Amino acid sequence: MSMDLGVDRLRVQSMHCPMGIDIKKYTFSWQLISDMENTIQTAYRIRVFGSKLVEDMVWDSGAMEGSKVWYTTDAPLPISNRSRYYFNIQVWDNHGNTAASDLSWFETGIGRQDWKGVWIEPDQRPTPKEDLDLSRKLTSAEDVEQDKGIFGTRELNRDYREFNPCQYLRRDFCLDQSIVKARMYITAHGLYRLYINGNRVGDREFAPEFTSYHNILMVQTYDVTRLLQQGENGLGIVLADGWWCGRIGGTGQGCQYGDRIGTLFQLEVQYSDGSVAVFASDEKVRSSGEGPLRYSDIFVGEHYDARMELGNFSSPGFIDTDWKPVNTVDYGYDNLVGHTGEPVRIIKEITPKGVLITPKGERVLDLGQVIAGRIRMKVSGPRGVKISLEHSEVLDEEGNFINNIEGRNKDQQDYYVLKGEGVEEYEPWFTFHGFRYVKIEGYPGALFVANFTGVALSSDLADIGGFLCSDDRINRLQQNIWWSQVANTLSIPTDCPQRERSGWTGDILIFAPTASYLRDMYAFLGRWMDNLRADQLPDGQVPNVVPYIKAYQELSAKMFNSESSSGWGDAVLAVPWALYNAYGDARVLAENYDAMKKWM
């Protein structure tokens, strides 16, 4: 069926139906559709509604002349926090046609003044701090190559005693009326997974993601209406170190933002009579570190002991009498912002290419592709058997497994202990690795490819461009570019998916133009620029790494004698310019103009 004119791909802030945004000026964008040649948009109109009823209009742009397919409001919209709004786009073209889109929607988030929940922390041992020994300076390129000096060497046969277990939190609550709508607003110091009545909430990974936490900490919003029931309910949260106090960056040091993990949440339930019940983080929450995740470090790896599984700890009536009360802490709400940009998700699952037996007799799984992600494993065996999964990108010249990423806390090694109950499935929770090969030790029986899946993780950005030609070598090069982009756009733009995983400004300065044509980078890099501005120094310097963690601050001040450099700091100019050239929206230039001037 031909179409003279249509309008599709409605977006707010470059996101499809975003939940929990709390911005002041809104950017709407859309895509023109027509089977007619030489079709040009001549005018457009945007209308926002408080419900699906057209009569419930809260804002109207009026007919605006122009061919651009985006519009940024000049002033804040007349809308409220914690509310859903609908909008549509009407367009006119140069052939005299007009068309209107179906309704799309966006939902505003919780304002800082709306919080009733308080920050809570489980009873826990503070994560040990490790000072950087700057007396062991790198003196040569050979030292850098061998990871000597400040970067340390990999510790073999370590016992991981300094690592803390993940923390499990729960509380019960009762809903005494029929439910119309329910929203969960939540963030954490560290990483979290959220459960209600035994069900995992959402499919995000590594929430609340990596930002300049003291300046910007994102709050996620979940529609949990269908997970609740009238009567008794249960809520559960699992917390891990993550980027907050885990071992990150080139030096592998922990405690870059804090040494204790915690969370802040607020569950709001609207009843059929219009009243609202609020269940928030407070002293009613109880916690335990005695679960199966003995530790889960975003760089080092994870130890999961299935013998210690808790069952449905988020179900109502779970016996938690031996759990401890949490501590309330006053961190305030000033750095909280609504989540923006697509979350980290599983974006691809890969069947391994095969299983290798190396000259040394090692059993090695070959994915056939380097990814940022993890392995999903099925296994059967006796209770207490411990399996090791060690990850690497390459084999040595003889074809043996080699850990090619040396240095402090670069283990990339996961452990799973069997509970001995039929077929068990394991996939790490709060860690990821850069790898193609996995050396597997302790696995009972033969290794069959069917029992393993490579799970690629990345910020879930849309593919919007590509390249294909008659030369398979160039096509392979294009695939390499795509995979490199996917592996290095996990929450922030990184330099590599294994060793540092840091936001080196010079790397994205070079790659931003290409990246912006292959995948939709607008919201992702716009969010990273928010962090760059937050970390920009008072004198205008742009740090070489964003987010600017303590380890790099110390290195810059005491070893490199510079916190910034041309080529790297120029990202404040080049990244917004690349986004503008790719997508045409001048908003990104306006948002960063003052930061550009400070840098210049």
Side-chain angles (χ1 to χ4, degrees), residues 85-276:
Y85 293 90
Y86 297 84
F87 72 100
N88 77 339
I89 311 290
Q90 184 178 4
V91 295
W92 291 263
D93 72 9
N94 56 324
H95 304 300
N97 300 311
T98 185
S101 72
D102 294 332
L103 288 176
S104 186
W105 59 265
F106 62 91
E107 194 163 307
T108 55
I110 185 170
R112 296 171 183 175
Q113 72 279 5
D114 301 323
W115 281 100
K116 294 181 174 61
V118 295
W119 278 99
I120 56 173
E121 291 179 344
D123 184 26
Q124 61 193 285
R125 179 187 67 167
T127 299
K129 292 182 173 67
E130 182 182 13
D131 293 329
L132 194 63
D133 183 4
L134 290 172
S135 65
R136 302 175 61 196
K137 291 187 178 181
L138 300 177
T139 58
S140 68
E142 182 180 358
D143 279 349
V144 176
E145 184 69 24
Q146 296 181 10
D147 290 296
K148 294 178 181 178
I150 59 170
F151 296 111
T153 56
R154 185 169 177 237
E155 181 182 344
L156 301 177
N157 302 315
R158 64 192 302 186
D159 57 19
Y160 301 98
R161 286 184 189 175
E162 73 273 27
F163 287 69
N164 290 333
C166 292
Q167 296 291 323
Y168 295 78
L169 291 78
R170 70 172 312 279
R171 69 165 293 180
D172 290 337
F173 57 97
C174 183
L175 303 177
D176 55 15
Q177 299 182 43
S178 60
I179 305 157
V180 173
K181 167 186 167 183
R183 296 292 183 268
M184 180 67 152
Y185 306 99
I186 182 172
T187 188
H189 291 158
L191 304 177
Y192 72 84
R193 275 196 184 183
L194 173 63
Y195 294 83
I196 289 180
N197 292 332
N199 300 294
R200 184 181 175 189
V201 178
D203 59 359
R204 297 173 182 267
E205 302 289 342
F206 307 119
E209 301 202 24
F210 191 15
T211 53
S212 174
Y213 290 126
H214 292 156
N215 301 301
I216 299 173
L217 178 58
M218 294 195 296
V219 177
Q220 289 71 47
T221 302
Y222 299 92
D223 181 350
V224 296
T225 310
R226 295 183 179 181
L227 297 178
L228 299 176
Q229 60 195 13
Q230 190 170 347
E232 296 299 323
N233 292 262
L235 180 152
I237 299 170
V238 187
L239 295 175
D241 291 349
W243 292 281
W244 179 264
C245 56
R247 293 101 185 134
I248 63 174
T251 61
Q253 291 173 280
C255 303
Q256 295 301 297
Y257 292 95
D259 60 4
R260 291 172 174 83
I261 53 178
T263 185
L264 171 71
F265 66 82
Q266 190 158 308
L267 173 62
E268 298 189 358
V269 181
Q270 180 180 333
Y271 292 132
S272 55
D273 67 357
S275 61
V276 176

Side-chain angles (χ1 to χ4, degrees), residues 478-493:
Q478 174 62 30
Q479 291 178 46
N480 292 348
I481 295 170
W482 186 89
W483 275 109
S484 294
Q485 181 169 353
V486 166
N488 285 291
T489 48
L490 194 155
S491 192
I492 64 167

Side-chain angles (χ1 to χ4, degrees), residues 49 51-58:
F49 309 94
S51 69
K52 292 183 178 180
L53 300 176
V54 176
E55 308 85 64
D56 193 13
M57 187 170 65
V58 299

